[in-house]
Amino acid sequence: MLITHDTRCALDTVVDLVNTAPEDDTTPDGLPDVAALEDFVQNHEVSDVGVLSEFDLSAVKKIRGRFGSVFAAADARIAAGLINELVAAAGTTPRLTDHDGYDWHVHYFAPGASVADHLAADCGMALAFFVVAGEQERLRRCEAPDCRRAFVDLSRNRSRRYCDSRTCGNRLHVAAYRARRKEAAG
């Protein structure tokens, strides 16, 4: 599957957005205030965003939850329905642009759109490309029992199971190794 630069940026953005949601009542929200949203927008180089407000923060948190549902969708039909709702609500307006030194690429949000509509349109379309390509199963949640972070499995053989092999994957492999050693010694 060919993934363009702007699609990859949108995928990274939607994964990071979903992963700002608290996993439970004991973990903090990664977007607690407007300043955190401003940092998120800046760090992900989200273009054409004006001054952000509490309204923007609330709207982004709503679409964050809806994107989280896409990663949890049991099948492509459910994922497609969720993506269609997100993209339609954003009022997509595809247009070609070559801003900030990037080659021509497509933006799916209307000029002057809110940050929530911008994210819903661009990130929604990036996820839509995976459903269209029959690759919805690549939109995953970490399989570590104490982690449910979202990620996109871009491995060649679709075998990635953990959000980060150096943390979640390694921790589980070490635990399994120690359990085998203990059983063998016991």
Side-chain angles (χ1 to χ4, degrees):
M1 177 175 180
L2 176 66
I3 301 173
T4 62
H5 171 77
D6 51 313
T7 300
R8 180 59 194 257
C9 289
L11 289 171
D12 291 343
T13 300
V14 72
V15 165
D16 289 348
L17 178 63
V18 168
N19 289 334
T20 65
E23 292 183 29
D24 55 37
D25 293 337
T26 64
T27 56
D29 192 317
L31 290 177
D33 53 33
V34 175
L37 178 59
E38 288 170 348
D39 287 344
F40 182 88
V41 165
Q42 184 178 5
N43 291 338
H44 290 86
E45 299 179 356
V46 180
S47 61
D48 295 334
V49 174
V51 176
L52 299 173
S53 67
E54 288 291 331
F55 177 82
D56 292 308
L57 179 63
S58 176
V60 168
K61 285 183 176 184
K62 285 179 186 170
I63 66 158
R64 174 181 71 182
R66 297 176 78 193
F67 277 130
S69 297
V70 173
F71 280 85
D75 61 43
R77 184 164 305 284
I78 293 169
L82 294 165
I83 293 167
N84 283 339
E85 289 173 11
L86 277 160
V87 171
T92 57
T93 307
R95 64 187 172 96
L96 287 168
T97 184
D98 67 342
H99 64 88
D100 298 330
Y102 292 108
D103 287 336
W104 289 104
H105 59 283
V106 179
H107 280 188
Y108 295 95
F109 59 93
S114 71
V115 67
D117 285 346
H118 176 134
L119 293 171
D122 270 2
C123 296
M125 289 305 300
L127 296 176
F129 295 142
F130 276 77
V131 174
V132 167
E135 301 285 352
Q136 180 263 332
E137 74 276 359
R138 289 183 181 268
L139 308 176
R140 297 190 177 166
R141 292 285 188 162
C142 184
E143 291 183 19
D146 59 341
C147 180
R148 296 300 302 149
R149 292 177 59 86
F151 68 93
V152 179
D153 179 5
L154 297 177
S155 66
R156 187 175 295 222
N157 62 357
R158 298 174 190 86
S159 63
R160 188 170 161 200
R161 298 174 48 208
Y162 307 109
C163 64
D164 186 344
S165 61
R166 288 175 286 157
T167 54
C168 290
N170 191 44
R171 189 174 61 246
L172 288 175
H173 289 113
V174 168
Y177 170 78
R178 288 180 179 159
R180 286 191 306 273
R181 296 279 304 208
K182 184 176 181 179
E183 186 178 306

